[in-house]
Amino acid sequence: MLFRSERMQTGFVPHVVWGAGYTSALTLLNPEAAAQTVRIAGAFVTAQGARVTVSTERRLPPHSRIEEDVAALFGGPALPDATGYLRFDALNGGPGIFSHVEYSVGTQLLSAVPAQGAINTEYYFSHVAQGSGYYTGLSLLNPNSATVPVAIEVFGRNGLRVGGTVLNLAAGERRARLISELIPGAQPVGGFIQVTAPQGIFAVELFGSADSLRFAANVAGRGTYGAPHVSSSTVAAEFGAAVISSNLEISLVIPPRAMPRTQNV
């Protein structure tokens, strides 16, 4: 169900991919009685490691819906196999649109992921499956103008921590990794993932079959935006915290139980 209050004037899709059999299709829906023009920008890394930034515009007539292959949207065969993210903006004060991306292999739809309009400092993904024939991947996007550390914690179905890591995402950087790459040796089937950052980011999770292209699923993360601890605040060792300096220039993430005791940071 779509609610008009969820329209986005600016939205992000943290993960798109094409090549090696995969395709991504972008859907834009204009629920308004007036036409809207939308600018769509993409930042990609090709299979050869080249970075590509492109943009285009689409006019959406009243009450219209369009769906386009992402590679074709930005140049078709001239654009090599790549992965990256999208941003769209409703121009000229347009009230906003709805959007999602579908991932497919050939004619087989694998999964669909809604665009995100709000950044969050904490995400919970309520399922993880890595190993035993499954994979789980995370795509993280930092839309800020400064580097943001991001803590990733994986918990088993019994609630116990399986492992964790901290990534430093540069300004504007998007990074997609499997859980097996982020936390080598971790093979939880069941459980959940917690992602924490001192400044707001976007995050999306996909899991599927490691043995075939039969399916992939998106578990929508439950995100919240909370003010980080300012330096010299008390941080509980049990819970950890995202901490930022008073001048907002330096930030860090302290994972749960990373400190031996509760203390000021």
Side-chain angles (χ1 to χ4, degrees):
M1 179 179 294
L2 299 177
F3 298 94
R4 297 182 76 85
S5 61
E6 296 176 343
R7 293 169 303 178
M8 290 172 281
Q9 291 181 309
T10 296
F12 289 81
V13 178
H15 182 69
V16 292
V17 60
W18 63 90
Y22 292 93
T23 58
S24 298
L26 175 68
T27 294
L28 304 174
L29 170 63
N30 176 17
E32 302 302 318
Q36 296 190 70
T37 299
V38 179
R39 177 182 294 122
I40 309 156
F44 310 112
V45 177
T46 70
Q48 292 72 38
R51 296 186 178 276
V52 180
T53 301
V54 289
S55 66
T56 188
E57 293 183 6
R58 288 294 184 270
R59 181 181 183 276
L60 301 179
H63 304 300
S64 67
R65 175 187 183 274
I66 65 171
E67 179 179 336
E68 290 195 50
D69 178 86
V70 173
L73 183 69
F74 295 115
L79 196 61
D81 296 356
T83 182
Y85 72 90
L86 301 176
R87 169 180 173 157
F88 62 81
D89 294 275
L91 303 180
N92 305 316
I97 63 172
F98 299 106
S99 178
H100 72 271
V101 163
E102 297 178 356
Y103 310 112
S104 301
V105 173
T107 59
Q108 179 180 351
L109 174 65
L110 295 178
S111 186
V113 175
Q116 299 180 25
I119 54 176
N120 290 294
T121 55
E122 189 169 49
Y123 289 89
Y124 283 92
F125 297 97
S126 59
H127 184 68
V128 57
Q130 184 69 51
S132 301
Y134 299 98
Y135 72 86
T136 295
L138 288 175
S139 185
L140 308 170
L141 172 60
N142 173 18
N144 300 285
S145 58
T147 297
V148 174
V150 180
I152 302 165
E153 303 287 322
V154 178
F155 298 84
R157 64 173 68 246
N158 58 3
L160 297 179
R161 182 177 182 271
V162 175
T165 189
V166 176
L167 305 177
N168 287 309
L169 290 183
E173 181 184 359
R174 170 256 185 203
R175 198 178 305 184
R177 295 290 188 273
L178 298 176
I179 292 301
S180 59
E181 297 174 300
L182 294 169
I183 309 171
Q187 293 190 334
V189 178
F192 65 94
I193 300 173
Q194 180 183 4
V195 176
T196 308
Q199 299 183 63
I201 62 170
F202 296 105
V204 65
E205 179 200 54
L206 288 169
F207 74 92
S209 171
D211 301 321
S212 73
L213 300 178
R214 292 176 299 169
F215 75 93
N218 164 241
V219 177
R222 306 301 297 178
T224 59
Y225 188 91
H229 287 63
V230 177
S231 56
S232 299
S233 298
T234 299
V235 176
E238 180 181 1
F239 302 108
V243 182
I244 193 166
S245 63
S246 57
N247 61 7
L248 306 183
E249 293 182 355
I250 302 173
S251 58
L252 61 89
V253 171
I254 304 172
R257 293 169 292 280
M259 301 187 305
R261 62 186 181 280
T262 295
Q263 58 187 301
N264 288 346
V265 176

